[in-house]
Amino acid sequence: MIQEISVAELAALPTPIFVDVRSEKEFAEATIPGAVNIPIFHDDERAQLGTIYRQVSPTAAKDLGLSLAAPKLPDMVRRYRKLEKQGSVVLFCWRGGMRSRAVATILDLMGLRAYRLVGGYKAYRHSVVEYWDEKPFNFGVVVLRGNTGTGKTELIQALKQHGRPAVDLEQLANNRGSVFGAVGLGTAPSQKKFEAELTAELQTFGSAHWIVVECESKRVGRVSLPNALFQAMQAGRQVLIFDTLENRVNRLVEEYTAFPDPGPELVEALDRLAPRLGNERVKFLNERLVAGDYHTFTRLLLVEYYDALYGYPNAADPDYSLSISMGDPAAALAQIEQFLDQLEAEAAK
């Protein structure tokens, strides 16, 4: 018997293993966070089936679908047997239609237990949209502000490792939020995928009243922050993160040179700064880049471009709720954690 489960009921499953049975292209565009892809039809097969369905008949498309799926079944069943040992398998397709029903039927015949998500990915996507559109944002927000290279992302990651409710928006967007933001990072997620990952992470924070994020523009790379979050960031507690110029340079050089041959991407990004810095300055920076003089390249960019663009103080400032030096990362982490504890204590009163 096929077991069905709604999106609202998913939270009750202790260890859900989501399986997206849609094609590779559909999966890459957006899926449920953590899902694995076991397509019943590949991209080209799905296109072929759609053509037959429209131009010939639904029956002809079903017959073709059966012949395309049949050779895949033994391997699919083996994969599902392994997944079943890890948790509760939850199947879904676009809207809980024929693809997930067909796989669920096969697994049931083979004695394997799996749930079929009612409404499929479409229902899950609707729940994400509702999260942002139909209720106020659940958290107060501590926003880390500061000039480029001060270690804001480093501090976010340290908080996450300590189990604190911190969200690395740039990691989710796969972009560092600047003209060089995409260097070395590859393809950015779709808006739907970004919102799904963000929502899923926020839903793990339980009873927390405050979360920590880095200051971002409304748009980060290819994606946009949900309005509710962006508004909460503007109204939140603003924390200044600062460090010495030398530490900032070293931090950025270490980050960007960790990628294989970042030069071509850096050159391409640098060319976009010509209207602001001038062609001669861009030419000089390109020469430093080609020579592998990353420290001079980075120092000049910070002083002549980024610091002038963002204009944050490079020392403690009373205009912020808290000012933290990243000269000692361990002390900085302890300081922000103490601040969070105070906010949570006040919220619990």
Side-chain angles (χ1 to χ4, degrees), residues 253-304:
V253 169
E254 181 179 356
E255 177 181 358
Y256 281 85
T257 55
F259 302 103
D261 192 15
E265 288 186 82
L266 288 173
V267 169
E268 182 181 351
L270 183 61
D271 286 342
R272 296 198 290 271
L273 296 183
R276 186 179 181 96
L277 297 179
N279 291 329
E280 287 302 313
R281 204 53 171 162
V282 167
K283 179 182 177 182
F284 177 76
L285 287 167
N286 266 319
E287 290 170 353
R288 293 296 87 215
L289 192 57
V290 171
D293 186 1
Y294 294 123
H295 282 79
T296 299
F297 172 83
T298 303
R299 185 178 291 104
L300 289 174
L301 271 179
L302 288 177
V303 172
E304 298 182 7

Side-chain angles (χ1 to χ4, degrees), residues 145 237-240 313 315-323:
R145 293 181 176 269
R237 303 295 181 91
Q238 310 301 312
V239 173
L240 176 67
D317 191 295
D319 288 340
Y320 294 84
S321 297
L322 180 68
S323 296

Side-chain angles (χ1 to χ4, degrees), residues 225-253:
L225 301 182
N227 287 332
L229 172 60
F230 189 68
Q231 291 167 7
M233 290 167 63
Q234 307 313 300
R237 303 295 181 91
Q238 310 301 312
V239 173
L240 176 67
I241 309 299
F242 62 93
D243 205 345
T244 65
L245 178 60
E246 195 60 32
N247 283 349
R248 294 165 58 202
V249 169
N250 290 336
R251 187 177 285 119
L252 290 170
V253 169

Side-chain angles (χ1 to χ4, degrees), residues 1-4 73 76-77 80-81 84 89 91 99-116:
M1 180 179 177
I2 299 175
Q3 301 178 88
E4 296 194 334
L73 296 183
M76 286 175 58
V77 170
Y80 280 107
R81 282 201 177 106
E84 188 189 37
V89 174
L91 307 169
R99 287 179 287 181
S100 61
R101 185 182 297 114
V103 175
T105 300
I106 293 165
L107 297 183
D108 184 54
L109 289 172
M110 297 302 296
L112 296 173
R113 181 176 178 179
Y115 294 92
R116 178 172 167 267

